Amino acid sequence: MHDRPRIEGALDVLRAELEVGRSTTELTTRVAWLAFMRFARQRFATAPTPDSDGLLFQYGTYAFSGRPMFTVDLTRQFDISDDGGEHDHYVQIHCELRYECEPALDVLGSFNSWFFHDANAGLDEWLAAMEGHLEPLLARVPSEIDVSEAPV
């Protein structure tokens, strides 16, 4: 665990992965997804508990920014403990890909799925299943991309 990067640097790691993809091509959903998969495979200095390092894949049509948009939210969640080793809060690193609403996206409805590094053994299987949900979007360029960090 000591040789792993600190959680405080996770947002920068995700941004760097996105820049790797963006440097050679347009930032399509596929490029963003490949960056998130590289980010998801990297381990950080987290507590050795089953829920300390999770991945959340979710999508649906939401109006968070004022107007409805189809949003794919690729999230990494870290459990932050206090000095006594007890849960204090979570930190989430988000990569939100937003698309203008249209019937082809509306039919996708909404979906979410979690993966936890120290509780699940099949990261590659989970990533492959999530990519299957992204298939209709992989060649598209999102209308908006937001990369952020938030305590929850």
Side-chain angles (χ1 to χ4, degrees), residues 31-43:
V31 170
W33 175 243
L34 291 173
F36 185 77
M37 287 195 309
R38 290 189 301 273
F39 175 63
R41 286 187 174 101
Q42 295 182 46
R43 297 303 306 270

Side-chain angles (χ1 to χ4, degrees), residues 27-35 97 131 135 137-140:
L27 190 60
T28 61
T29 304
R30 180 181 308 281
V31 170
W33 175 243
L34 291 173
L97 310 172
E131 186 169 330
E135 188 62 40
L137 297 166
L138 289 174
R140 293 179 186 235

Side-chain angles (χ1 to χ4, degrees), residues 18-62:
L18 287 165
E19 284 304 313
V20 167
R22 191 183 319 224
S23 66
T24 58
T25 185
E26 192 170 29
L27 190 60
T28 61
T29 304
R30 180 181 308 281
V31 170
W33 175 243
L34 291 173
F36 185 77
M37 287 195 309
R38 290 189 301 273
F39 175 63
R41 286 187 174 101
Q42 295 182 46
R43 297 303 306 270
F44 289 83
T46 58
T49 57
D51 64 349
S52 66
D53 186 355
L55 304 168
L56 172 61
F57 175 95
Q58 60 186 342
Y59 63 74
T61 301
Y62 308 104

Side-chain angles (χ1 to χ4, degrees), residues 3 11 16 21 25 31-32 48 50 71 76 88 94 97-98 109 113 126 129 136 142 148:
D3 59 339
L11 180 62
T25 185
V31 170
T71 302
R76 183 113 182 223
D88 185 62
H94 294 272
L97 310 172
R98 299 182 192 120
S113 178
W126 183 81
S148 63

Side-chain angles (χ1 to χ4, degrees), residues 68-129:
M69 297 191 82
F70 186 84
T71 302
V72 175
D73 184 8
L74 309 171
T75 300
R76 183 113 182 223
Q77 177 174 283
F78 298 106
D79 178 34
I80 307 300
S81 300
D82 62 19
D83 292 338
E86 297 296 318
H87 169 77
D88 185 62
H89 65 282
Y90 294 104
V91 169
Q92 291 184 337
I93 310 294
H94 294 272
C95 178
E96 288 188 1
L97 310 172
R98 299 182 192 120
Y99 309 83
E100 299 299 329
C101 290
E102 60 180 75
L105 299 178
D106 292 341
V107 299
L108 296 176
S110 62
F111 175 81
N112 70 74
S113 178
W114 280 96
F115 175 89
F116 289 93
H117 278 285
D118 293 321
N120 303 71
L123 176 60
D124 288 335
E125 292 82 3
W126 183 81
L127 290 170

